[in-house]
Amino acid sequence: MMKKKLAALGLALMLTVSLAACGGGSSAPASSAAPAAPAASEPAGGGEVKGLEGPIAESPILLTSVGQSADVEMVKVMMDKGGLSPETNSLATEADLGDSKTLVLAIGGSSKGLGAAGIDANQELDRVNKLIAAADEKGLTIIALHIGGEARRGDLSDKFVAPSFEKADYAIVVADGNKDGLMSDLASKAGIPMDEVATMADVVEPLKAAFK
Amino acid sequence: MNKQIITASVCLLAALSVAGITGKNFMEVKKPDELRPGPGVTQTKMLSDYFPDIAGTNADSTVYVMEGEQPGGKMLVLGGTHANEPSGYLAAITFVESGKVEQGTVFVIPRTCNSGFTHNDPQEGSPQYYTIQTKGGPRQFRYGSRAANPLDQWPDPDVYVHAASGQRLSGSETRNINRTYPGRPDGTLTEKASYAVRQLIDTEGVNLTFDLHEASPEYPVINATVAHETAMSIASNGMFELQMAGIAMSLEPSPTNLHGLTHRELGDYTDTLPLLMETANASQGRLRGKTNADLVLTGKDKCYVKAQKLGFLYVPYDETGHPIEERVGRHLQGIYEYSKAYSAQYPESPIVYNGLPSYQELFLDADPSELGGTQLGKYLN
Ligand SMILES: [Zn+2]
C-alpha cells in the first residue's frame, strides 16, 4: 500500500517537473548577430589621427545615407540647425550631384531602412561606391559622419564604414562607435583628419567649423 | 466511519479548495486595474464608442479624453499594446493621472490590447502583478501577455495572413494587435480592436499617434523610435532635442514591407503621424534570470549584466539595471519632444500640456533608493 502511494507520488512529481521543464519560447527573439565588438581594445591608430584644422568645405551640399539608417535625418536636422541647409537624398546617385561642392555621408546600416527603401545591403553598397567615386572624380569635398555610436556598429553597419572613409576628406565620429578604434584606423589609413565627439549632440560644432 | 471514505473526503476537499483558489485567481485577473484619472481628464469614453461591435467583449477598453481649454491638435497615446511591456502601460497611466492639457486634445488608451491583460504567457514565470507605492497607497498593476487571451479568440490558424497585405506570419501573431492594423470590421476580435483604434483616429481627426513599447535587451531595435515616413521630420527634430537632453536613442524608419504595425498601417491608412517607441525590459527577455515583480520594476538582473559583457545586448547594462522610472521617463520625454516638434511644424494646431515629470525629474534627479517604483509612484494618484 505504502509503496504504491510513494510510486504515485513520485510519478506525479515527475509529471510536474517534466511540465515545468519544457520551457518557454512562445516568442523567441531574433538572435541575430551580436552587436559591437568588446570595448576593451585601444584605438589602434588613434594617436596618428589629427582633428580638422581649418574649414575645407563649401555649399551647395548634398547629404546622403550610407546604409539607409535614419541617421541621415538626424544629420539633416543638425545641419539645418547649424545653418548649412543641405540638399538631402538618402538614395542619391551620380545624377543627383549637380553643382554640389560637398558630399556629406551619414553612415549607419539599418535593416528597417533598407527594407523601407526596398533594397539590400549589396545594392546599397553599390550605389554608394558609385556615388563616392563620381564625387571624388568631380573634386567634391567628402565628409563622413558616423553619429550613431554603438547602435550603428555590428555586422550590417560595419559594411558601410570603410567605403565611406576611403575617399573622404574629413570624418566626425561619436566616440561610442569608435571604441575599438576601427574609424581611427580607417582615417589614419586614408590620411584624413578626424574629430571624435562624445555624443550626437556634439557633432554640430565641428561640422559647422568644417564649412568656409 | 470507513477509513477510505475519510481519505477520499480529504482528497476531494483538497482538490476543491485548490480549484476554488485558482479559479478565483483566474477570474480576478480579468478585472482591469483601477486607474485614478487626474483633473486633466475631461471625459471618459470606450473604444466601442467608435466601433460598437466590440462592446461587451474583452477587446473593449477605456479611452481617456483630455481636452485643453484652447483648441489645437489631437494626439493619441497607445499604452499596453503589449501587456507584458509595463513602461508603455505606466507611461499612459501617468499621463492620465498627472497630465493637464492646455492646447488641443489628448486621447489616452492605457490598455490598447485589453484582452492581453487578462492572462499571462504560459511557462514564462511572469508575475501576475507588480505593486507600486503611490500617493494614494500601494497599487497593483497587471503584468499580462504580448497577445490577446486565447479564451477571447480561438483557435489560432497555423499561418496568420495579414488581411490588407497578404503577409504571412506564425499563427499566434493573429492575437498580436500590433500585427493586425489597420484592422477589419468583420475580422477576428483583435482585428476588430485595431479597427476600433483606427475608427477613433478617423472620427476624432487624430494628428499624432504614439505607440509605447518595450523590448528585450537583446533585441536590435531598442531605445529607439520608429517613424512612418510622414512622421520622419517630426521624429528627427524631436530626436535632436532628446539627444541634446542626453537621452541616447536611435531613429528607425518604418519598413514598408512589414505589415500590421501601427507605425506602418496607421500612417498608410489614416491621416495621423505615427511614432512607436521602445525601451529595455529585462522581464520579457530570453536571457533573464529570476523573473518576478522586482525584475519588472528595477530591471536589475545579473544574467543581463553578464550578457552585456559578452556583447550580446543592444543596450548598456550594469548592476543598476533599467528601472521603471528610466523607461517611463524615456517615453514621456519622447512624447514631449515629438509633440513639441509637431507643434512647431504645425503651428495652426499645437498640442501643449504640462504636469508630467521630465526624464530628468523622474529618473536622473531621483534618489537611487527610490528607483524601481517609488519615484514613479509620486506621479500616480
Ligand atoms: Zn511591444
Side-chain angles (χ1 to χ4, degrees):
Chain A
M1 186 64 189
M2 197 58 199
K3 243 184 185 169
K4 271 189 196 161
K5 276 187 188 161
L6 274 175
L9 195 71
L11 282 172
L13 242 153
M14 277 164 66
L15 183 68
T16 320
V17 169
S18 71
L19 274 178
C22 33
S26 52
S27 60
S31 60
S32 59
S41 62
E42 288 274 296
E48 303 150 35
V49 179
K50 286 208 179 96
L52 187 69
E53 277 158 2
I56 52 166
E58 280 177 84
S59 291
I61 308 161
L62 177 66
L63 166 64
T64 195
S65 168
V66 184
Q68 296 303 313
S69 76
D71 289 7
V72 67
E73 301 287 341
M74 295 304 302
V75 172
K76 177 171 172 18
V77 171
M78 289 174 192
M79 295 184 77
D80 285 344
K81 301 230 181 225
L84 294 168
S85 333
E87 169 81 31
T88 307
N89 183 345
S90 57
L91 290 167
T93 61
E94 183 180 354
D96 300 306
L97 284 173
D99 56 356
S100 304
K101 293 202 167 127
T102 302
L103 175 67
V104 176
L105 306 171
I107 311 163
S110 160
S111 50
K112 277 189 156 49
L114 290 167
I119 54 175
D120 64 22
N122 290 329
Q123 288 169 297
E124 173 70 348
L125 271 173
D126 191 47
R127 174 189 71 87
V128 166
N129 283 330
K130 282 183 185 150
L131 176 69
I132 292 176
D136 188 52
E137 189 96 324
K138 285 177 101 175
L140 273 76
T141 306
I142 301 175
I143 301 180
L145 301 178
H146 188 277
I147 65 164
E150 261 181 307
R152 297 289 179 221
R153 287 293 311 275
D155 285 353
L156 179 63
S157 283
D158 285 3
K159 280 197 183 109
F160 299 111
V161 178
S164 307
F165 272 65
E166 243 163 48
K167 289 182 172 153
D169 298 291
Y170 175 45
I172 306 174
V173 305
V174 169
D176 254 10
N178 189 31
K179 276 184 189 166
D180 59 354
L182 171 73
M183 291 176 227
S184 308
D185 277 351
L186 288 169
S188 120
K189 225 186 275 169
I192 59 168
M194 181 181 101
D195 283 301
E196 190 179 277
V197 296
T199 71
M200 208 187 275
D202 301 320
V203 173
V204 184
E205 280 314 307
L207 186 56
K208 253 167 72 180
F211 284 83
K212 288 174 193 164
Chain B
M1 216 197 296
N2 190 323
K3 207 174 156 194
Q4 272 140 340
I5 293 180
I6 297 176
T7 316
S9 309
V10 169
C11 288
L12 187 63
L13 265 173
L16 281 175
S17 63
V18 167
I21 293 167
T22 52
K24 185 165 172 278
N25 177 271
F26 184 76
M27 293 313 286
E28 261 171 9
V29 298
K30 294 195 184 307
K31 268 194 254 157
D33 296 331
E34 181 213 345
L35 305 193
R36 300 171 183 169
V41 174
T42 49
Q43 203 186 349
T44 304
K45 290 188 159 184
M46 296 299 288
L47 256 184
S48 56
D49 291 338
Y50 299 94
F51 181 51
D53 217 60
I54 57 168
T57 72
N58 276 334
D60 205 359
S61 193
T62 312
V63 181
Y64 297 91
V65 185
M66 306 169 77
E67 193 175 348
E69 279 176 12
Q70 296 172 60
K74 306 262 177 83
M75 174 169 113
L76 170 64
V77 178
L78 300 173
T81 286
H82 293 140
N84 60 338
E85 300 170 6
S87 82
Y89 181 42
L90 290 170
I93 295 176
T94 310
F95 210 115
V96 166
E97 301 200 359
S98 279
K100 176 92 179 68
V101 177
E102 286 180 3
Q103 270 185 292
T105 306
V106 177
F107 301 84
V108 185
I109 309 178
R111 285 182 295 271
T112 302
C113 180
N114 188 67
S115 171
F117 283 87
T118 64
H119 72 136
N120 271 148
D121 288 320
Q123 303 179 353
E124 287 291 318
S126 314
Q128 285 189 333
Y129 295 94
Y130 46 92
T131 302
I132 294 178
Q133 292 295 328
T134 70
K135 287 186 277 187
R139 282 172 62 184
Q140 265 195 344
F141 297 94
R142 275 285 294 155
Y143 189 95
S145 160
R146 178 176 175 81
N149 195 327
L151 288 178
D152 293 326
Q153 184 181 320
W154 190 86
D156 291 344
D158 289 337
V159 174
Y160 163 50
V161 181
H162 178 249
S165 67
Q167 168 183 269
R168 294 159 75 85
L169 292 170
S170 97
S172 61
E173 294 284 26
T174 188
R175 285 179 287 115
N176 177 354
I177 194 171
N178 205 26
R179 296 294 180 278
T180 64
Y181 288 94
R184 278 197 296 177
D186 54 354
T188 62
L189 190 68
T190 312
E191 285 175 315
K192 287 178 180 179
S194 56
Y195 183 75
V197 172
R198 177 183 164 197
Q199 290 300 107
L200 184 161
I201 291 170
D202 284 344
T203 309
E204 302 287 358
V206 172
N207 306 107
L208 181 60
T209 298
F210 293 96
D211 185 13
L212 307 179
H213 287 253
E214 298 208 82
S216 49
E218 65 273 22
Y219 182 69
V221 180
I222 195 163
N223 280 352
T225 298
V226 187
H228 190 267
E229 53 273 19
T230 52
M232 190 50 93
S233 168
I234 289 166
S236 51
N237 278 282
M239 178 72 76
F240 181 79
E241 299 301 326
L242 290 172
Q243 297 289 339
M244 296 300 271
I247 300 179
M249 221 198 268
S250 61
L251 180 57
E252 300 290 342
S254 168
T256 46
N257 54 356
L258 185 53
H259 290 283
L261 293 92
T262 49
H263 57 69
R264 167 54 39 207
E265 311 298 355
L266 293 180
D268 285 359
Y269 284 86
T270 77
D271 291 332
T272 203
L273 307 174
L275 294 167
L276 180 148
M277 283 190 271
E278 299 268 10
T279 58
N281 172 25
S283 63
Q284 70 184 111
R286 294 293 98 190
L287 309 177
R288 67 181 190 268
K290 192 173 168 187
T291 310
N292 53 26
D294 262 355
L295 179 62
V296 172
L297 291 172
T298 66
K300 287 182 188 171
D301 186 316
K302 57 185 179 194
C303 298
Y304 271 112
V305 175
K306 196 167 178 189
Q308 154 73 21
K309 286 182 184 141
L310 292 169
F312 290 163
L313 306 187
Y314 289 84
V315 285
Y317 225 108
D318 62 22
E319 285 72 13
T320 57
H322 287 290
I324 195 70
E325 286 80 3
E326 176 189 357
R327 290 140 60 198
V328 170
R330 278 177 161 270
H331 281 327
L332 292 179
Q333 192 73 34
I335 295 173
Y336 177 75
E337 295 297 357
Y338 295 131
S339 62
K340 221 170 83 178
Y342 169 82
S343 301
Q345 279 186 33
Y346 299 87
E348 69 284 1
S349 60
I351 299 160
V352 181
Y353 62 87
N354 56 39
L356 295 177
S358 64
Y359 181 73
Q360 178 95 24
E361 288 165 324
L362 191 56
F363 174 54
L364 297 177
D365 291 349
D367 176 347
S369 71
E370 294 191 327
L371 291 174
T374 311
Q375 171 74 3
L376 176 63
K378 293 174 185 169
Y379 300 91
L380 298 172
N381 301 325

